[in-house]
Amino acid sequence: MSDSSPLPPVRLHPEAELARDALSTPLLSRAARLARWAGPDTRVDAGGGLVDEQLPAAVEALGLSGDDAAADASEAWRVAVDAGLVEVVDEEEGTVTAGEDLALLTGGSPQDVLAVWLAALETVLADASVPDLDGLTDEGGEVDLSSLDWDPEAEAEFLDGVLGNLYLLTAGEDTPGGAPVPLPALAASVIVPSDMGEPTNDVLEQVSDAMMRLDDQFRMLEPVGFVAYRPVDEALMADAGEEPAAPVDDTDVSRYGMVRLTPLGLYGMRARLMEAGYEAPAVGDLADKGADVLLDGTAAFPPGAAQAETEQWLQRRESLAAARELLAAARGADAGAPLRRLRCQQALSLVGASAEPALREVLDDAELGGLARVWLTENGAADVPPPSEAMVYWLTIDTVAAQLAAEGNSEELRALVEGLAQQHSGFFDAVWRVDHPATADVLEAMGRLHPDKKVAKEARKAAFKARSQQGG
């Protein structure tokens, strides 16, 4: 991802709901329980971890059992320390006390709770980038990192890249809400070059290795509520000579792992991206801003997100005042003005009939009169004056310019261009004279997009005339 362009807007759950989700995550709730369990006799080592002698008591306090009980208790304690729920009082003595942030979990605001959860998340993400160190200790009991092919920065960068792509897939409108992503596709997104047709065997092996790393990492990230994860089927990791315990379906992609960001995870990932300098908008960010900020801010939004943002903006305003503010913000001759007017028109479609006076006030406006007539007609208003031919052509250029800015050379725009040339005889003879800053650019685009070579040539000639008239 590039931090020079904004990411797609995301739809976040209310902070109060996210805070409740955070408090109910297994890892943070265990960390809070251990922070309350700790007392004067609790002792930690030089790194702040519970001494081995006290792990059994911590396991019992959490009600854990099984082979991973001690590891889970140790992780929960580490999160408690890193998130400020426990504070080391004396490093030499290894004594602790309740941290200042522990009280925030019960008496703080939703933002306070989420801040604690974000600290817990950072601890888990750091741990997830560390490989399994079992079996790597030397004779003195120290970890022998020299025997490990591990680059901490590269590993963290790999995981960040994967999570960034998962965020993009979650934020995109083409992905159904909450739909999980197959682990092979996610791994391939950071391994396979975008310009590679058929992946080589070497690349496929890298994808397979990445999947196994991600399987371990997502298992670690699930207890903190960051992802919902269906692990890789254990049968796939069995030795070649072993028979699976039950018949398996090789076509079932879910067997290879499925993952999605939870609503809490989406919140956390956006916070991390913003901290890293990315522009990561969320629907609702513009609700308290002016209409000019709304129209410019939603210019690059996908249609669904733009509508959701506009609906929240309108909910805070009286209809007539909102319509007047939108129309005033839609004026302009700059390059972004056509798309602002398109977003204005879309916003006004969500406003009720009480906005009619605002639209009638701009009927004679050269830039807004056309869209005002469209709105009044669509809303069944009486006595709507017909537009002049000049206004029709101006609105046509403005509409195509807006569509170009919003969609580029899309199939929908191609169909619009073909329809305009067919419906209006002498269209190009008249339209090049339109006094609109985008006239030449629109005609050049029509020349590119129209499939009929003769019509395309007429459009290019008209574009030349328009540019000459503008002095360009």
Side-chain angles (χ1 to χ4, degrees), residues 421-436:
Q422 289 173 358
Q423 292 171 15
H424 302 277
S425 60
F427 176 79
F428 294 112
D429 288 335
V431 78
W432 69 264
R433 296 180 172 86
V434 172
D435 185 18
H436 190 295

Side-chain angles (χ1 to χ4, degrees), residues 294-295 298-303 306 310 326 338-348 406:
L294 174 73
L295 298 182
T298 57
F301 280 22
T310 303
L326 286 166
L339 187 50
R340 278 204 308 277
R341 282 186 281 273
L342 176 62
R343 291 301 192 211
C344 173
Q345 189 169 0
Q346 292 166 341
L348 289 170

Side-chain angles (χ1 to χ4, degrees), residues 111-184:
Q111 294 93 330
D112 292 332
V113 172
L114 290 170
V116 174
W117 178 81
L118 285 171
L121 173 63
E122 289 303 319
T123 297
V124 180
L125 285 168
D127 289 347
S129 297
V130 177
D132 186 356
L133 302 179
D134 289 346
L136 294 177
T137 55
D138 57 23
E139 294 180 357
E142 298 294 325
V143 176
D144 181 16
L145 292 178
S146 63
S147 63
L148 188 64
D149 182 18
W150 175 50
D151 182 338
E153 290 186 8
E155 191 65 28
E157 185 177 337
F158 167 77
L159 183 56
D160 282 344
V162 169
L163 295 177
N165 285 355
L166 185 57
Y167 181 88
L168 290 174
L169 290 167
T170 304
E173 294 208 342
D174 294 335
T175 304
V181 179
L183 194 59

Side-chain angles (χ1 to χ4, degrees), residues 73-87:
S74 180
E75 182 184 30
W77 178 263
R78 190 163 57 254
V79 165
V81 173
D82 290 350
L85 307 182
V86 170
E87 182 182 345

Side-chain angles (χ1 to χ4, degrees), residues 51-369:
V51 295
D52 291 343
E53 295 79 7
Q54 295 201 324
L55 274 176
V59 168
E60 183 179 355
L62 294 176
L64 300 175
S65 61
D67 295 338
D68 296 329
D72 290 343
S74 180
E75 182 184 30
W77 178 263
R78 190 163 57 254
V79 165
V81 173
D82 290 350
L85 307 182
V86 170
E87 182 182 345
V88 178
V89 177
D90 188 325
E91 292 185 3
E92 291 187 5
E93 294 293 328
T95 54
V96 298
T97 188
E100 292 182 1
D101 290 347
L102 179 60
L104 297 178
L105 298 184
T106 53
S109 67
Q111 294 93 330
D112 292 332
V113 172
L114 290 170
V116 174
W117 178 81
L118 285 171
L121 173 63
E122 289 303 319
T123 297
V124 180
L125 285 168
D127 289 347
S129 297
V130 177
D132 186 356
L133 302 179
D134 289 346
L136 294 177
T137 55
D138 57 23
E139 294 180 357
E142 298 294 325
V143 176
D144 181 16
L145 292 178
S146 63
S147 63
L148 188 64
D149 182 18
W150 175 50
D151 182 338
E153 290 186 8
E155 191 65 28
E157 185 177 337
F158 167 77
L159 183 56
D160 282 344
V162 169
L163 295 177
N165 285 355
L166 185 57
Y167 181 88
L168 290 174
L169 290 167
T170 304
E173 294 208 342
D174 294 335
T175 304
V181 179
L183 194 59
L186 192 56
S189 72
V190 293
I191 299 293
V192 181
S194 58
D195 57 353
M196 177 176 282
E198 189 71 21
T200 63
N201 289 335
D202 179 59
V203 169
L204 290 175
E205 186 175 345
Q206 292 179 48
V207 171
S208 180
D209 290 344
M211 286 172 56
M212 293 303 99
R213 288 155 63 194
L214 289 171
D215 182 63
D216 290 336
Q217 290 169 330
F218 285 138
R219 288 173 191 257
M220 294 180 67
L221 289 168
E222 190 168 34
V224 77
F226 189 67
V227 296
Y229 182 55
R230 176 174 176 176
V232 176
D233 190 337
E234 296 289 346
L236 294 172
M237 294 182 278
D239 292 336
E242 294 182 12
E243 287 293 329
V248 293
D249 179 5
D250 290 332
T251 64
D252 183 6
V253 69
S254 66
R255 294 180 56 234
Y256 295 87
M258 302 287 285
V259 64
R260 66 175 175 83
L261 286 174
T262 63
L264 188 59
L266 189 64
Y267 170 88
M269 193 62 207
R270 176 176 179 259
R272 298 187 79 241
L273 287 167
M274 293 176 69
E275 181 70 21
Y278 289 89
E279 186 178 343
V283 172
D285 283 352
L286 309 179
D288 60 347
K289 303 294 191 295
D292 54 341
V293 178
L294 174 73
L295 298 182
D296 283 333
T298 57
F301 280 22
Q307 179 171 330
E309 184 71 59
T310 303
E311 287 172 344
Q312 291 198 30
W313 188 89
L314 289 170
Q315 286 170 4
R316 299 191 178 198
R317 291 160 178 82
E318 185 270 327
S319 295
L320 181 57
R324 286 182 173 134
E325 188 179 349
L326 286 166
L327 289 164
R331 289 190 174 93
D334 57 285
L339 187 50
R340 278 204 308 277
R341 282 186 281 273
L342 176 62
R343 291 301 192 211
C344 173
Q345 189 169 0
Q346 292 166 341
L348 289 170
S349 71
L350 304 173
V351 180
S354 58
E356 181 176 335
L359 279 299
R360 289 198 178 275
E361 290 166 4
V362 298
L363 281 172
D364 295 330
D365 189 289
E367 295 177 349
L368 305 177

Side-chain angles (χ1 to χ4, degrees), residues 439-449 459-460 463-464 467:
T439 298
D441 292 335
V442 165
L443 289 169
E444 285 178 356
M446 293 181 78
R448 290 195 310 271
L449 294 170
R460 289 193 294 272
F464 178 78
R467 207 166 290 287

